[in-house]
Amino acid sequence: MSSILGRMVSGSLWLSGARAITNALGFVSTIVLARLLLPADFGLVALGATVLAIITAVTEMSLSQALVHHPDPREDHFHTAWTLSAARGLLLALLMCVAARPLVWIYDEPRLELVIYAFAASVLIGGLGNPRQIMLTKELIFWQQFMLNVVGRLATVFTSIMVAIVWQSYWALIAGVIAGQVITTVLTYFVLPFRPRLGLKHAGELWSFSVWLTLGQAINTINWRFDQLLVGNILGKAALGFYSVGDNLAQMPTREATAPLTGTLFPALARIAHDPDRLRHAYHRAQALITFVALPVGIGFALVAKPLVLVAMGEKWLPAVPVIQALSAVFALITLGSMVQPLAMAKGHTKQLFRRDLQMFCIRLPIIIGGTVLFGLPGLIYSRVITGLLAAAVNMWLVRQLIRLSITDQVLANGRSLIAGAAMAAAVLWLQHALDTPAASVGWDQILAIAASVATGAVVYPGVAFGLWFMRGRPAGPESEALKIPAMIRGRRGDPEIGQKA
């Protein structure tokens, strides 16, 4: 267990660095582009991106996960994976080209046709990536992801900003996506050399693992992307721009703070899936630590959303603030059960993930449609909060089925974190009320409010969490795991195994 946890920490360091850099680049890019482009521009591109996400999910084959799960993939497995991926990319590009004209008619937006064609070219390029580089992930080695993520994001951000400065057109967003895709695909062949050839020898073997993931991904993406199509059709492109940008910003803090750990969880759990006790213990520890990290950043971002938007993006983006406030907190809370995905994949129970996704589709879609049609954007926000909390409950129930870890035990493992998060929120809200910053002022008042709120949260959350931990006699929990990480980092710096395998 200590060896695997050490590898997870080492991998998390690489992913943390990549996430820190790409997060900063993405945030800067969003701020710059938000000032250069209009909300309707973001809404137009969001329509194309949503169509791409849905069509991609419907044909997703989860080949990387199948290779990680396979005990000993051979060269023919990689040729099969490359052939399937390339064929899928070509099929996706053709489907998007066929769908372009009908979508123009549905949304009454002539510019959408060329946007769809551009995204079709992007997905075709992405299908040609090197599947062999996943072997490093299988061995819990993640330097390649650092390079791919950082260089790809640099290409995306640089291209988008340059095109926006010169032309101030929505094509800046699309050009950035294509540039990042081209650079990332080319770099995969420098990570681990591979000369692909056509072959389908192991197609059935890989498909047997990934078929349920594919079906689940299709249902899940339609479920979670349908709201953007709905907003674009009912409320207009400007509202979709506010919603899509707010949604993306709301996801960012929790995603970037926890991704270094969640990215290592599937390959780590897959290595011990044969041992139920170790698997249960490892999941319990990892989940509690992830929520311990997610709560302060997710709730904290919600608390500073309004002054941050005013300072960074300007008053024209204020309608995005309620989206950020509600969803940022929800994204942090749903980490209570969201780690069920790598857990079920590690055990090979992908069919149960599909059943979960189908259940959430039947529950979520009517709530989202009803909330949006009846109450507009505020109704959609409340619907997202309700369905997010329901999803967390369903995920925790599935964890109970997979490893016999009761829902009560799952909640209690995060009890101190939840109390500390509530205390932090109360303290920051009281401070903001005391400061009484003018709602629409842009300048040093808002910057002071942000700085004071962040400082208060940084003191209150760990103070309450560790205070409760000491009062309970320092039991095993996320606090003790967090204190072990610096020692693990020092211990892994000189690990020769990492250098040899990298």
Side-chain angles (χ1 to χ4, degrees), residues 50 55 81 96 99 122 154 182 191 199 274 339 382 451:
T50 300
I55 295 180
M96 294 188 69
S122 171
L154 276 171
V182 170
V191 170
H274 62 281
M339 300 307 109
Y382 286 120

Side-chain angles (χ1 to χ4, degrees), residues 101-452:
R101 294 292 297 177
L103 287 170
V104 168
W105 177 77
I106 291 172
Y107 287 96
D108 192 24
E109 178 52 80
R111 297 176 299 171
L112 188 59
E113 183 174 5
L114 291 180
V115 171
I116 297 294
Y117 292 153
F119 278 121
S122 171
V123 77
L124 178 62
I125 295 167
L128 302 176
N130 177 6
R132 192 165 180 263
Q133 54 98 18
I134 198 64
M135 288 305 294
L136 293 175
T137 300
K138 183 179 177 68
E139 295 297 324
L140 297 177
I141 300 170
F142 294 91
W143 61 264
Q144 85 285 6
Q145 289 196 24
F146 176 91
M147 181 180 69
L148 294 174
N149 291 344
V150 171
V151 177
R153 180 54 66 90
L154 276 171
T156 298
V157 171
F158 179 79
T159 303
S160 295
I161 292 178
M162 289 300 101
V163 173
I165 290 174
V166 175
W167 285 287
Q168 294 190 4
S169 165
Y170 60 89
W171 281 104
L173 300 168
I174 302 166
V177 170
I178 295 177
Q181 188 67 74
V182 170
I183 294 298
T184 300
T185 301
V186 171
L187 282 178
T188 60
Y189 289 90
F190 288 92
V191 170
L192 280 178
F194 177 66
R195 184 175 295 177
R197 64 171 183 265
L198 296 176
L200 295 170
K201 182 177 179 181
H202 297 285
E205 184 181 355
L206 295 177
W207 184 247
S208 65
F209 172 83
S210 61
V211 59
W212 294 110
L213 288 178
T214 298
L215 294 173
Q217 180 73 10
I219 292 293
N220 210 26
T221 303
I222 294 172
N223 191 13
W224 294 95
R225 287 281 189 168
F226 181 80
D227 48 359
Q228 297 198 7
L229 296 178
L230 192 67
V231 172
N233 187 270
I234 295 178
L235 305 180
K237 291 185 290 296
L240 177 58
F242 295 129
Y243 178 68
S244 61
V245 170
D247 190 15
N248 288 335
L249 289 175
Q251 293 182 52
M252 189 179 296
T254 299
R255 182 188 64 211
E256 303 303 329
T258 61
L261 284 171
T262 58
T264 65
L265 200 55
F266 169 44
L269 295 180
R271 297 169 72 92
I272 57 173
H274 62 281
D275 189 331
D277 291 334
R278 292 180 70 197
L279 182 64
R280 185 184 307 108
H281 185 52
Y283 173 84
H284 207 189
R285 293 168 63 185
Q287 186 279 316
L289 180 59
I290 287 167
T291 299
F292 180 77
V293 174
L295 286 175
V297 294
I299 295 174
F301 193 71
L303 293 169
V304 299
K306 188 169 185 177
L308 188 61
V309 166
L310 280 170
V311 170
M313 301 168 67
E315 291 185 47
K316 68 179 180 180
W317 285 97
L318 278 176
V321 169
V323 180
I324 299 172
Q325 291 173 330
L327 299 188
S328 184
V330 169
F331 286 133
L333 288 171
I334 62 177
T335 57
L336 291 170
S338 60
M339 300 307 109
V340 69
Q341 184 87 8
L343 174 64
M345 288 166 54
K347 288 178 65 67
H349 292 263
T350 52
K351 188 174 183 178
Q352 287 181 263
L353 289 176
F354 169 71
R355 289 173 177 169
R356 175 208 59 179
D357 293 334
L358 188 59
Q359 290 170 352
M360 284 307 304
F361 179 84
C362 296
I363 293 171
R364 183 180 186 272
L365 210 59
I367 297 175
I368 292 293
I369 293 174
T372 306
V373 170
L374 294 175
F375 305 106
L377 189 57
L380 174 57
I381 295 171
Y382 286 120
S383 299
R384 286 287 304 272
V385 172
I386 293 169
T387 55
L389 296 177
L390 286 173
V394 170
N395 286 336
M396 293 171 74
W397 177 84
L398 183 53
V399 169
R400 174 176 169 269
Q401 299 297 109
L402 289 170
I403 57 174
R404 299 185 184 279
L405 184 64
S406 71
I407 294 177
T408 301
D409 287 340
Q410 294 178 58
V411 174
L412 291 178
N414 300 279
R416 292 186 296 275
S417 300
L418 292 169
I419 294 172
M424 180 190 74
V428 172
L429 289 173
W430 175 85
L431 175 70
Q432 291 176 345
H433 177 74
L435 291 175
D436 193 25
T437 305
S441 68
V442 180
W444 287 109
D445 287 342
Q446 299 292 351
I447 294 174
L448 175 62
I450 296 170

